[in-house]
Amino acid sequence: MIEKNRLQMELEDLIDKRSLQELYIFMENHIIEFFSTPDISKYYKTLKNVDYSETKKLTPKIMLAWMAFLSGDHGNLFLIIRDIDEMALKGPEESSLFYSLKAMIGYMMNPTEGLRYAKLSIDILSKEKTSFYMGNAKLTYGQMLANTNQYRLASEMFSASRGIFQRLNHHFLALIAMINELLNRYKLGEFEFVVDKCKEELFMASSYTEEMQTYVNAIHLPLGMCYYEMNRPHLAIKHLALAKDSIDQLGLFHMHGLIELYLFKAYYVTSDTLAMEQLKNEMILTFEKMNYRQTDLLISMFKVFTAEKGGLHLVEVDIEKFELEFGKSGIDSHSIIIESLVYLKLKGFSHMIRIQDIEKRLENLKYIGMIPHIQMTMLQLAELYYLEKNKKMAVYYLKEAIQIYKDYGICGCFCALPLHTTAILQETDERFYSMIHKNVKAIDIVRVDSMLTAREKEIMNLIAAGKTNEEISKILFISIGTIKWHTNHIFGKLEVKNRVQAIQKAKKLGEIT
């Protein structure tokens, strides 16, 4: 923390003195300090309005461009990049830093171009040299491999990057590399490995400084995702909420989208409509004007999933967006688009996507791997065939989806879709049915017959147990403000004015035991 303050104060001092040449030299000499802490967005805010036209040095400009990229300021990023002459790069380290940035930018436009620059950022460095630049180059190359569905190679590259950063004691960068490695192993279906590795890292974190513990909490992201797939939604929410706090505090912009998606799915499974609505509103407030593709798609997805049956006219724009995107890219569309269109088809509100499209997508997924999506796609096909009264094919794909459970231990998607195939689950696999049916049935009852949502019942039971708002906050890992919001909704639904009346009314209606 002292080091961060010193760096920040020296930057501000040099800017106040208008000692720009000294500032450029200072940035060059402290490049590793800039990028080996989670404070990049803070440094970027301090440096973004400096005039860099007075220097011929390229490293400060490349550093600022990286900061802009990591802070989500793509507009300024492209302005800076246009001012960098690739032919004027000096030395392998400066070139590697530039090429790795070009890889990240290139992927947004052309994945092949991104891979080419990422490989170049490694090749230009001495192979035996272990340095910050090599660690960064391998981290970037791993991201390009992951973005082109080469998950096994990506995992290996992230592991190599993590090893470099650990040897150099760059703990924050080592953590980022580890999280990326675990996210790719999650895609490969290595759930037990991911859970064990996360628990091991979190156990070790108990001896870290408070600052390190804050960013180590980001490791809860792959852990929460695994628990979601294992059909442990409440456990998933606990860990994902911890990860989100860490990601928000540290400004880890490029982890946004993923964390919100899985939190939303876990809230959906637990029928916590209020939490879904809150998360949607937070996403709109934070990301709607940024035009960042993944968060833009997520906002539309959240709007569709939280729309009441009679209010779907309010999300017609979002439905049309998904249909237009799918019309352009077909089965190669983003998974959020596919998942939303299948959900809308099962609900009867869109018929853009066809069974043949989903079957073709399944073929592609089997080729590249991505176990959770493979299982979800199999269940989607079972649902769609069942609605078309083709029981034979519905049973076939149900068995395929259940086999994924037997092989990998995951079944979260069975509670994430509006299931119609529950009726044939028992005759397909009675043991699996008995395990999953309790959850599916409970969710259906809450959504259709219950006055209170699952989260409201959870809070109401704790109120009945005599717990204070502060105690409930610690038990459920949610803020006191959120508890008060839930409590007001509960009182409104039960038409009561205080806790005593709420307990009596909830017991009378069978909402709590």
Side-chain angles (χ1 to χ4, degrees), residues 438-495:
K438 181 180 178 182
N439 289 339
V440 174
K441 186 177 180 182
I443 289 165
D444 287 343
I445 291 170
V446 168
R447 286 178 183 158
V448 178
D449 302 322
S450 180
M451 180 180 289
L452 302 180
T453 67
R455 176 63 97 188
E456 289 168 348
K457 283 188 173 187
E458 200 171 19
I459 290 171
M460 195 60 239
N461 273 300
L462 289 170
I463 289 173
K467 302 295 182 184
T468 65
N469 284 348
E470 188 174 358
E471 289 170 330
I472 296 171
S473 172
K474 290 177 181 177
I475 292 168
L476 299 182
F477 296 93
I478 56 178
S479 70
I480 292 175
T482 301
I483 293 163
K484 288 179 180 178
W485 191 359
H486 278 297
T487 305
N488 287 335
H489 275 260
I490 292 168
F491 287 2
K493 288 181 179 181
L494 297 177
E495 297 180 342

Short mmCIF file of all heavy atoms in Angstrom, two decimals, residues 438-495:
data_model
loop_
_atom_site.label_atom_id
_atom_site.label_comp_id
_atom_site.label_asym_id
_atom_site.label_seq_id
_atom_site.Cartn_x
_atom_site.Cartn_y
_atom_site.Cartn_z
N LYS A 438 -36.40 -32.98 -7.05
CA LYS A 438 -36.71 -32.20 -5.86
C LYS A 438 -36.43 -30.72 -6.10
O LYS A 438 -37.25 -29.85 -5.77
CB LYS A 438 -35.90 -32.71 -4.68
CG LYS A 438 -36.18 -31.96 -3.38
CD LYS A 438 -35.35 -32.53 -2.25
CE LYS A 438 -35.61 -31.74 -0.97
NZ LYS A 438 -34.78 -32.23 0.16
N ASN A 439 -35.27 -30.44 -6.71
CA ASN A 439 -34.91 -29.05 -6.99
C ASN A 439 -35.83 -28.42 -8.01
O ASN A 439 -36.31 -27.31 -7.85
CB ASN A 439 -33.46 -28.96 -7.50
CG ASN A 439 -32.47 -29.24 -6.38
OD1 ASN A 439 -32.79 -29.10 -5.22
ND2 ASN A 439 -31.27 -29.64 -6.76
N VAL A 440 -36.09 -29.16 -9.11
CA VAL A 440 -36.94 -28.63 -10.17
C VAL A 440 -38.34 -28.37 -9.66
O VAL A 440 -38.93 -27.33 -9.90
CB VAL A 440 -36.99 -29.62 -11.37
CG1 VAL A 440 -37.99 -29.14 -12.41
CG2 VAL A 440 -35.61 -29.78 -11.98
N LYS A 441 -38.86 -29.32 -8.88
CA LYS A 441 -40.22 -29.18 -8.35
C LYS A 441 -40.31 -27.98 -7.41
O LYS A 441 -41.24 -27.19 -7.49
CB LYS A 441 -40.62 -30.47 -7.62
CG LYS A 441 -42.07 -30.47 -7.15
CD LYS A 441 -42.41 -31.81 -6.50
CE LYS A 441 -43.85 -31.82 -6.03
NZ LYS A 441 -44.19 -33.10 -5.35
N ALA A 442 -39.31 -27.86 -6.54
CA ALA A 442 -39.31 -26.74 -5.59
C ALA A 442 -39.29 -25.41 -6.31
O ALA A 442 -39.99 -24.47 -5.95
CB ALA A 442 -38.11 -26.86 -4.66
N ILE A 443 -38.49 -25.32 -7.35
CA ILE A 443 -38.39 -24.07 -8.13
C ILE A 443 -39.72 -23.77 -8.81
O ILE A 443 -40.19 -22.64 -8.81
CB ILE A 443 -37.26 -24.19 -9.16
CG1 ILE A 443 -35.92 -24.16 -8.43
CG2 ILE A 443 -37.30 -23.05 -10.17
CD1 ILE A 443 -34.75 -24.60 -9.27
N ASP A 444 -40.33 -24.81 -9.39
CA ASP A 444 -41.62 -24.61 -10.07
C ASP A 444 -42.68 -24.10 -9.09
O ASP A 444 -43.46 -23.22 -9.41
CB ASP A 444 -42.10 -25.92 -10.72
CG ASP A 444 -41.28 -26.25 -11.96
OD1 ASP A 444 -40.61 -25.34 -12.48
OD2 ASP A 444 -41.33 -27.42 -12.40
N ILE A 445 -42.70 -24.68 -7.89
CA ILE A 445 -43.69 -24.26 -6.89
C ILE A 445 -43.48 -22.81 -6.51
O ILE A 445 -44.41 -22.03 -6.43
CB ILE A 445 -43.61 -25.17 -5.64
CG1 ILE A 445 -44.11 -26.58 -5.98
CG2 ILE A 445 -44.41 -24.59 -4.48
CD1 ILE A 445 -43.84 -27.60 -4.90
N VAL A 446 -42.23 -22.43 -6.26
CA VAL A 446 -41.94 -21.05 -5.89
C VAL A 446 -42.37 -20.09 -6.98
O VAL A 446 -42.95 -19.05 -6.72
CB VAL A 446 -40.42 -20.90 -5.59
CG1 VAL A 446 -40.05 -19.42 -5.49
CG2 VAL A 446 -40.07 -21.60 -4.29
N ARG A 447 -42.10 -20.45 -8.25
CA ARG A 447 -42.40 -19.54 -9.35
C ARG A 447 -43.90 -19.41 -9.59
O ARG A 447 -44.37 -18.39 -10.05
CB ARG A 447 -41.71 -20.03 -10.63
CG ARG A 447 -40.22 -19.79 -10.60
CD ARG A 447 -39.53 -20.31 -11.83
NE ARG A 447 -38.10 -20.11 -11.71
CZ ARG A 447 -37.18 -20.78 -12.37
NH1 ARG A 447 -37.52 -21.71 -13.21
NH2 ARG A 447 -35.90 -20.53 -12.20
N VAL A 448 -44.65 -20.49 -9.31
CA VAL A 448 -46.06 -20.48 -9.70
C VAL A 448 -46.99 -20.18 -8.54
O VAL A 448 -47.89 -19.36 -8.63
CB VAL A 448 -46.44 -21.84 -10.35
CG1 VAL A 448 -47.90 -21.85 -10.72
CG2 VAL A 448 -45.57 -22.08 -11.58
N ASP A 449 -46.76 -20.89 -7.40
CA ASP A 449 -47.76 -20.86 -6.33
C ASP A 449 -47.38 -19.98 -5.14
O ASP A 449 -48.24 -19.52 -4.42
CB ASP A 449 -48.00 -22.29 -5.81
CG ASP A 449 -48.47 -23.20 -6.95
OD1 ASP A 449 -49.24 -22.72 -7.79
OD2 ASP A 449 -48.07 -24.37 -6.98
N SER A 450 -46.10 -19.80 -4.89
CA SER A 450 -45.68 -19.13 -3.67
C SER A 450 -45.85 -17.63 -3.76
O SER A 450 -45.64 -17.03 -4.81
CB SER A 450 -44.23 -19.48 -3.38
OG SER A 450 -43.81 -18.85 -2.21
N MET A 451 -46.18 -17.04 -2.63
CA MET A 451 -46.29 -15.58 -2.56
C MET A 451 -44.89 -14.97 -2.46
O MET A 451 -44.62 -13.92 -3.04
CB MET A 451 -47.11 -15.19 -1.32
CG MET A 451 -47.28 -13.69 -1.15
SD MET A 451 -48.27 -13.30 0.32
CE MET A 451 -49.89 -13.84 -0.20
N LEU A 452 -44.00 -15.63 -1.72
CA LEU A 452 -42.64 -15.13 -1.53
C LEU A 452 -41.66 -15.86 -2.44
O LEU A 452 -41.84 -17.06 -2.72
CB LEU A 452 -42.20 -15.31 -0.07
CG LEU A 452 -43.06 -14.66 1.01
CD1 LEU A 452 -42.46 -14.94 2.39
CD2 LEU A 452 -43.20 -13.16 0.79
N THR A 453 -40.60 -15.15 -2.86
CA THR A 453 -39.54 -15.80 -3.64
C THR A 453 -38.69 -16.65 -2.72
O THR A 453 -38.81 -16.57 -1.48
CB THR A 453 -38.64 -14.76 -4.32
OG1 THR A 453 -37.92 -14.04 -3.31
CG2 THR A 453 -39.43 -13.78 -5.16
N ALA A 454 -37.79 -17.46 -3.29
CA ALA A 454 -36.92 -18.32 -2.49
C ALA A 454 -36.06 -17.48 -1.55
O ALA A 454 -35.88 -17.83 -0.37
CB ALA A 454 -36.04 -19.16 -3.40
N ARG A 455 -35.52 -16.36 -2.03
CA ARG A 455 -34.68 -15.50 -1.20
C ARG A 455 -35.50 -14.87 -0.07
O ARG A 455 -35.06 -14.78 1.07
CB ARG A 455 -34.02 -14.43 -2.06
CG ARG A 455 -33.20 -13.41 -1.29
CD ARG A 455 -32.02 -14.06 -0.58
NE ARG A 455 -30.81 -13.93 -1.35
CZ ARG A 455 -29.67 -14.52 -1.06
NH1 ARG A 455 -29.59 -15.30 0.00
NH2 ARG A 455 -28.59 -14.37 -1.81
N GLU A 456 -36.73 -14.43 -0.42
CA GLU A 456 -37.61 -13.83 0.60
C GLU A 456 -37.97 -14.84 1.69
O GLU A 456 -38.03 -14.51 2.88
CB GLU A 456 -38.86 -13.26 -0.05
CG GLU A 456 -38.58 -12.00 -0.88
CD GLU A 456 -39.74 -11.59 -1.77
OE1 GLU A 456 -40.69 -12.39 -1.94
OE2 GLU A 456 -39.69 -10.48 -2.31
N LYS A 457 -38.18 -16.10 1.28
CA LYS A 457 -38.47 -17.15 2.27
C LYS A 457 -37.27 -17.38 3.17
O LYS A 457 -37.41 -17.57 4.38
CB LYS A 457 -38.83 -18.46 1.56
CG LYS A 457 -40.23 -18.51 1.00
CD LYS A 457 -40.54 -19.90 0.50
CE LYS A 457 -42.02 -20.01 0.10
NZ LYS A 457 -42.39 -21.39 -0.23
N GLU A 458 -36.08 -17.35 2.55
CA GLU A 458 -34.85 -17.55 3.31
C GLU A 458 -34.71 -16.46 4.38
O GLU A 458 -34.41 -16.75 5.55
CB GLU A 458 -33.67 -17.48 2.32
CG GLU A 458 -32.39 -18.10 2.81
CD GLU A 458 -31.36 -18.19 1.70
OE1 GLU A 458 -31.49 -17.48 0.68
OE2 GLU A 458 -30.41 -18.98 1.86
N ILE A 459 -34.94 -15.22 3.99
CA ILE A 459 -34.86 -14.10 4.93
C ILE A 459 -35.97 -14.18 5.97
O ILE A 459 -35.75 -13.95 7.16
CB ILE A 459 -34.91 -12.76 4.17
CG1 ILE A 459 -33.61 -12.56 3.37
CG2 ILE A 459 -35.15 -11.58 5.11
CD1 ILE A 459 -33.63 -11.39 2.43
N MET A 460 -37.17 -14.57 5.54
CA MET A 460 -38.31 -14.66 6.46
C MET A 460 -38.08 -15.72 7.53
O MET A 460 -38.43 -15.53 8.71
CB MET A 460 -39.58 -14.97 5.65
CG MET A 460 -40.88 -14.73 6.39
SD MET A 460 -41.11 -13.04 6.95
CE MET A 460 -41.27 -13.28 8.70
N ASN A 461 -37.46 -16.85 7.13
CA ASN A 461 -37.15 -17.90 8.10
C ASN A 461 -36.13 -17.42 9.13
O ASN A 461 -36.21 -17.77 10.31
CB ASN A 461 -36.62 -19.15 7.39
CG ASN A 461 -37.74 -20.08 6.96
OD1 ASN A 461 -38.51 -20.57 7.78
ND2 ASN A 461 -37.85 -20.31 5.66
N LEU A 462 -35.17 -16.62 8.68
CA LEU A 462 -34.16 -16.08 9.60
C LEU A 462 -34.78 -15.03 10.53
O LEU A 462 -34.41 -14.94 11.70
CB LEU A 462 -33.00 -15.47 8.81
CG LEU A 462 -32.10 -16.51 8.10
CD1 LEU A 462 -31.14 -15.81 7.14
CD2 LEU A 462 -31.34 -17.35 9.10
N ILE A 463 -35.71 -14.24 10.00
CA ILE A 463 -36.44 -13.29 10.85
C ILE A 463 -37.22 -14.06 11.93
O ILE A 463 -37.22 -13.69 13.10
CB ILE A 463 -37.41 -12.43 10.00
CG1 ILE A 463 -36.60 -11.43 9.14
CG2 ILE A 463 -38.40 -11.68 10.89
CD1 ILE A 463 -37.44 -10.65 8.14
N ALA A 464 -37.87 -15.15 11.50
CA ALA A 464 -38.65 -15.97 12.44
C ALA A 464 -37.75 -16.61 13.50
O ALA A 464 -38.19 -16.91 14.61
CB ALA A 464 -39.42 -17.05 11.69
N ALA A 465 -36.47 -16.82 13.12
CA ALA A 465 -35.51 -17.40 14.07
C ALA A 465 -34.93 -16.35 15.00
O ALA A 465 -34.06 -16.64 15.84
CB ALA A 465 -34.38 -18.10 13.31
N GLY A 466 -35.39 -15.09 14.84
CA GLY A 466 -34.96 -14.02 15.74
C GLY A 466 -33.67 -13.33 15.34
O GLY A 466 -33.06 -12.62 16.14
N LYS A 467 -33.24 -13.51 14.08
CA LYS A 467 -31.99 -12.91 13.63
C LYS A 467 -32.18 -11.43 13.30
O LYS A 467 -33.22 -11.03 12.75
CB LYS A 467 -31.46 -13.63 12.39
CG LYS A 467 -31.21 -15.12 12.58
CD LYS A 467 -30.11 -15.39 13.58
CE LYS A 467 -29.85 -16.89 13.73
NZ LYS A 467 -28.85 -17.17 14.77
N THR A 468 -31.17 -10.62 13.63
CA THR A 468 -31.20 -9.20 13.28
C THR A 468 -30.76 -9.03 11.83
O THR A 468 -30.23 -9.97 11.21
CB THR A 468 -30.23 -8.40 14.17
OG1 THR A 468 -28.89 -8.83 13.90
CG2 THR A 468 -30.55 -8.58 15.64
N ASN A 469 -30.96 -7.82 11.27
CA ASN A 469 -30.52 -7.55 9.91
C ASN A 469 -29.02 -7.78 9.76
O ASN A 469 -28.55 -8.31 8.74
CB ASN A 469 -30.87 -6.12 9.50
CG ASN A 469 -32.33 -5.95 9.19
OD1 ASN A 469 -33.06 -6.93 9.05
ND2 ASN A 469 -32.79 -4.71 9.09
N GLU A 470 -28.25 -7.37 10.76
CA GLU A 470 -26.80 -7.54 10.72
C GLU A 470 -26.42 -9.03 10.70
O GLU A 470 -25.53 -9.45 9.95
CB GLU A 470 -26.14 -6.85 11.91
CG GLU A 470 -24.62 -6.83 11.83
CD GLU A 470 -24.01 -6.01 12.96
OE1 GLU A 470 -24.76 -5.45 13.76
OE2 GLU A 470 -22.77 -5.94 13.01
N GLU A 471 -27.11 -9.82 11.48
CA GLU A 471 -26.83 -11.27 11.53
C GLU A 471 -27.22 -11.93 10.21
O GLU A 471 -26.50 -12.79 9.69
CB GLU A 471 -27.60 -11.91 12.70
CG GLU A 471 -27.03 -11.54 14.07
CD GLU A 471 -27.92 -11.98 15.21
OE1 GLU A 471 -29.17 -12.04 15.03
OE2 GLU A 471 -27.39 -12.25 16.30
N ILE A 472 -28.36 -11.51 9.64
CA ILE A 472 -28.80 -12.07 8.36
C ILE A 472 -27.80 -11.71 7.26
O ILE A 472 -27.49 -12.53 6.39
CB ILE A 472 -30.21 -11.55 8.00
CG1 ILE A 472 -31.24 -12.05 9.02
CG2 ILE A 472 -30.62 -12.01 6.59
CD1 ILE A 472 -32.62 -11.43 8.88
N SER A 473 -27.28 -10.49 7.32
CA SER A 473 -26.29 -10.03 6.34
C SER A 473 -25.07 -10.94 6.34
O SER A 473 -24.57 -11.32 5.27
CB SER A 473 -25.88 -8.59 6.66
OG SER A 473 -24.80 -8.19 5.86
N LYS A 474 -24.59 -11.32 7.52
CA LYS A 474 -23.41 -12.18 7.62
C LYS A 474 -23.71 -13.60 7.17
O LYS A 474 -22.88 -14.26 6.55
CB LYS A 474 -22.89 -12.17 9.05
CG LYS A 474 -22.27 -10.84 9.47
CD LYS A 474 -21.83 -10.85 10.92
CE LYS A 474 -21.24 -9.49 11.33
NZ LYS A 474 -20.86 -9.46 12.76
N ILE A 475 -24.90 -14.08 7.46
CA ILE A 475 -25.27 -15.45 7.09
C ILE A 475 -25.42 -15.60 5.59
O ILE A 475 -24.96 -16.57 4.98
CB ILE A 475 -26.59 -15.87 7.80
CG1 ILE A 475 -26.36 -15.97 9.31
CG2 ILE A 475 -27.12 -17.19 7.24
CD1 ILE A 475 -27.62 -16.09 10.13
N LEU A 476 -26.07 -14.61 4.94
CA LEU A 476 -26.39 -14.71 3.51
C LEU A 476 -25.41 -13.99 2.60
O LEU A 476 -25.54 -14.05 1.38
CB LEU A 476 -27.80 -14.16 3.26
CG LEU A 476 -28.96 -14.86 3.97
CD1 LEU A 476 -30.29 -14.24 3.58
CD2 LEU A 476 -28.97 -16.35 3.65
N PHE A 477 -24.42 -13.29 3.20
CA PHE A 477 -23.42 -12.57 2.41
C PHE A 477 -24.04 -11.52 1.51
O PHE A 477 -23.67 -11.37 0.34
CB PHE A 477 -22.57 -13.55 1.57
CG PHE A 477 -21.75 -14.49 2.40
CD1 PHE A 477 -22.24 -15.74 2.75
CD2 PHE A 477 -20.49 -14.13 2.84
CE1 PHE A 477 -21.49 -16.61 3.52
CE2 PHE A 477 -19.72 -14.99 3.61
CZ PHE A 477 -20.22 -16.24 3.96
N ILE A 478 -25.03 -10.80 2.02
CA ILE A 478 -25.63 -9.69 1.28
C ILE A 478 -25.67 -8.47 2.20
O ILE A 478 -25.62 -8.61 3.42
CB ILE A 478 -27.04 -10.02 0.72
CG1 ILE A 478 -27.98 -10.46 1.85
CG2 ILE A 478 -26.96 -11.06 -0.37
CD1 ILE A 478 -29.39 -10.77 1.40
N SER A 479 -25.79 -7.29 1.62
CA SER A 479 -25.72 -6.07 2.42
C SER A 479 -26.99 -5.88 3.26
O SER A 479 -28.06 -6.41 2.94
CB SER A 479 -25.54 -4.86 1.52
OG SER A 479 -26.71 -4.61 0.77
N ILE A 480 -26.87 -5.08 4.32
CA ILE A 480 -28.02 -4.77 5.17
C ILE A 480 -29.08 -4.00 4.38
O ILE A 480 -30.28 -4.22 4.57
CB ILE A 480 -27.56 -3.97 6.41
CG1 ILE A 480 -26.71 -4.86 7.32
CG2 ILE A 480 -28.75 -3.41 7.19
CD1 ILE A 480 -26.09 -4.16 8.51
N GLY A 481 -28.62 -3.14 3.47
CA GLY A 481 -29.57 -2.40 2.62
C GLY A 481 -30.41 -3.34 1.77
O GLY A 481 -31.63 -3.13 1.61
N THR A 482 -29.79 -4.37 1.22
CA THR A 482 -30.53 -5.36 0.42
C THR A 482 -31.53 -6.12 1.29
O THR A 482 -32.66 -6.39 0.86
CB THR A 482 -29.55 -6.35 -0.22
OG1 THR A 482 -28.63 -5.63 -1.05
CG2 THR A 482 -30.28 -7.38 -1.08
N ILE A 483 -31.14 -6.43 2.52
CA ILE A 483 -32.07 -7.13 3.43
C ILE A 483 -33.28 -6.25 3.74
O ILE A 483 -34.42 -6.72 3.74
CB ILE A 483 -31.33 -7.52 4.74
CG1 ILE A 483 -30.28 -8.57 4.43
CG2 ILE A 483 -32.31 -8.03 5.78
CD1 ILE A 483 -29.25 -8.74 5.49
N LYS A 484 -33.02 -4.97 3.98
CA LYS A 484 -34.14 -4.05 4.25
C LYS A 484 -35.08 -3.96 3.05
O LYS A 484 -36.31 -3.90 3.20
CB LYS A 484 -33.59 -2.66 4.59
CG LYS A 484 -32.94 -2.57 5.96
CD LYS A 484 -32.38 -1.18 6.23
CE LYS A 484 -31.73 -1.10 7.60
NZ LYS A 484 -31.13 0.24 7.84
N TRP A 485 -34.47 -3.96 1.85
CA TRP A 485 -35.28 -3.91 0.62
C TRP A 485 -36.16 -5.16 0.53
O TRP A 485 -37.36 -5.08 0.28
CB TRP A 485 -34.33 -3.80 -0.57
CG TRP A 485 -35.02 -3.49 -1.88
CD1 TRP A 485 -36.34 -3.31 -2.11
CD2 TRP A 485 -34.39 -3.31 -3.15
NE1 TRP A 485 -36.59 -3.02 -3.42
CE2 TRP A 485 -35.40 -3.02 -4.08
CE3 TRP A 485 -33.06 -3.35 -3.57
CZ2 TRP A 485 -35.13 -2.80 -5.44
CZ3 TRP A 485 -32.79 -3.13 -4.92
CH2 TRP A 485 -33.81 -2.84 -5.83
N HIS A 486 -35.56 -6.33 0.75
CA HIS A 486 -36.32 -7.59 0.74
C HIS A 486 -37.42 -7.56 1.80
O HIS A 486 -38.57 -7.97 1.53
CB HIS A 486 -35.38 -8.76 1.02
CG HIS A 486 -34.62 -9.25 -0.17
ND1 HIS A 486 -35.22 -9.77 -1.29
CD2 HIS A 486 -33.28 -9.29 -0.42
CE1 HIS A 486 -34.30 -10.13 -2.16
NE2 HIS A 486 -33.11 -9.84 -1.66
N THR A 487 -37.07 -7.08 3.00
CA THR A 487 -38.04 -7.07 4.10
C THR A 487 -39.25 -6.19 3.77
O THR A 487 -40.41 -6.56 4.05
CB THR A 487 -37.37 -6.58 5.40
OG1 THR A 487 -36.22 -7.37 5.67
CG2 THR A 487 -38.33 -6.67 6.58
N ASN A 488 -39.01 -5.04 3.17
CA ASN A 488 -40.11 -4.16 2.76
C ASN A 488 -41.03 -4.85 1.75
O ASN A 488 -42.26 -4.72 1.82
CB ASN A 488 -39.57 -2.86 2.17
CG ASN A 488 -38.99 -1.95 3.24
OD1 ASN A 488 -39.38 -2.03 4.40
ND2 ASN A 488 -38.06 -1.09 2.86
N HIS A 489 -40.42 -5.58 0.81
CA HIS A 489 -41.22 -6.32 -0.17
C HIS A 489 -42.04 -7.41 0.51
O HIS A 489 -43.20 -7.64 0.16
CB HIS A 489 -40.29 -6.94 -1.24
CG HIS A 489 -39.96 -5.99 -2.34
ND1 HIS A 489 -40.58 -6.00 -3.57
CD2 HIS A 489 -39.05 -4.99 -2.40
CE1 HIS A 489 -40.08 -5.05 -4.33
NE2 HIS A 489 -39.15 -4.43 -3.65
N ILE A 490 -41.42 -8.09 1.47
CA ILE A 490 -42.13 -9.15 2.21
C ILE A 490 -43.34 -8.57 2.94
O ILE A 490 -44.45 -9.10 2.87
CB ILE A 490 -41.18 -9.84 3.21
CG1 ILE A 490 -40.10 -10.63 2.46
CG2 ILE A 490 -41.95 -10.75 4.16
CD1 ILE A 490 -38.96 -11.12 3.35
N PHE A 491 -43.12 -7.46 3.66
CA PHE A 491 -44.21 -6.81 4.40
C PHE A 491 -45.34 -6.40 3.45
O PHE A 491 -46.52 -6.54 3.76
CB PHE A 491 -43.70 -5.58 5.14
CG PHE A 491 -42.85 -5.89 6.36
CD1 PHE A 491 -42.55 -7.20 6.70
CD2 PHE A 491 -42.35 -4.87 7.15
CE1 PHE A 491 -41.77 -7.48 7.82
CE2 PHE A 491 -41.56 -5.14 8.27
CZ PHE A 491 -41.27 -6.46 8.60
N GLY A 492 -44.95 -5.90 2.27
CA GLY A 492 -45.95 -5.48 1.29
C GLY A 492 -46.78 -6.65 0.78
O GLY A 492 -48.01 -6.57 0.68
N LYS A 493 -46.10 -7.76 0.47
CA LYS A 493 -46.81 -8.94 -0.04
C LYS A 493 -47.73 -9.55 1.03
O LYS A 493 -48.84 -10.02 0.72
CB LYS A 493 -45.80 -10.00 -0.50
CG LYS A 493 -45.08 -9.65 -1.80
CD LYS A 493 -44.10 -10.76 -2.20
CE LYS A 493 -43.41 -10.43 -3.50
NZ LYS A 493 -42.48 -11.51 -3.91
N LEU A 494 -47.24 -9.55 2.26
CA LEU A 494 -48.03 -10.15 3.34
C LEU A 494 -49.05 -9.18 3.93
O LEU A 494 -49.89 -9.59 4.74
CB LEU A 494 -47.09 -10.64 4.46
CG LEU A 494 -46.09 -11.75 4.09
CD1 LEU A 494 -45.19 -12.07 5.28
CD2 LEU A 494 -46.80 -13.01 3.62
N GLU A 495 -48.94 -7.89 3.52
CA GLU A 495 -49.84 -6.84 4.01
C GLU A 495 -49.76 -6.72 5.53
O GLU A 495 -50.77 -6.75 6.25
CB GLU A 495 -51.28 -7.12 3.56
CG GLU A 495 -51.44 -7.10 2.05
CD GLU A 495 -52.87 -7.38 1.61
OE1 GLU A 495 -53.66 -7.91 2.42
OE2 GLU A 495 -53.20 -7.06 0.46
#
